[in-house]
Amino acid sequence: MSTASAPPSLPDGRYGRPRRPSRRWRVWVFTGIALVVSCAVAWIGYVNLGAAPISAERVTFAELPGNAMTISLNVTRDEPDRPGVCIVRTRDISGAESGRREVYIPANDSRVDVVVRSIDRPVTADVYGCSYDIPEYLSRS
């Protein structure tokens, strides 16, 4: 016959209070990880959502004969003495891109007019994006 018995206990007062393992290192590790992750998220947000150094806004557009469109842009940049490049595009009635052109923006110019040829009848135009990184074939040295 077996009887269940409780595990033996230590005599009171002989060995002092039982010590808990320290968990302070966990607090420091998790604080460090949280700090690194939050800094990474802040940096990525700043890079992707911060103000662009060069941007353009479509002011006017008008359809031309032969599936073409003229587009006027206002260019805003943080360094007006640097040239840039913008990509403008036209869209057809379905909303699909039907024409695209890279436009060289000379230094100190804030207004640019460009003609974009389209494969279908264009109905609207927009600016895809701008950059200071000018491709070699567009540079005017």
Side-chain angles (χ1 to χ4, degrees), residues 34-107:
L35 186 64
V36 168
V37 168
S38 61
C39 287
V41 167
W43 182 76
I44 290 170
Y46 173 76
V47 168
N48 292 326
L49 302 175
I54 181 171
S55 63
E57 178 184 19
R58 179 200 68 204
V59 180
T60 63
F61 62 93
E63 187 178 354
L64 298 175
N67 289 342
M69 185 169 275
T70 181
I71 306 164
S72 296
L73 307 172
N74 273 347
V75 180
T76 307
R77 50 186 145 190
D78 58 356
E79 297 179 41
D81 56 337
R82 283 182 67 186
V85 63
C86 290
I87 299 172
V88 293
R89 61 186 180 175
T90 60
R91 295 179 180 261
D92 61 13
I93 193 72
S94 70
E97 182 179 293
S98 60
R100 175 185 284 229
R101 182 170 177 193
E102 292 175 311
V103 181
Y104 179 80
I105 311 293

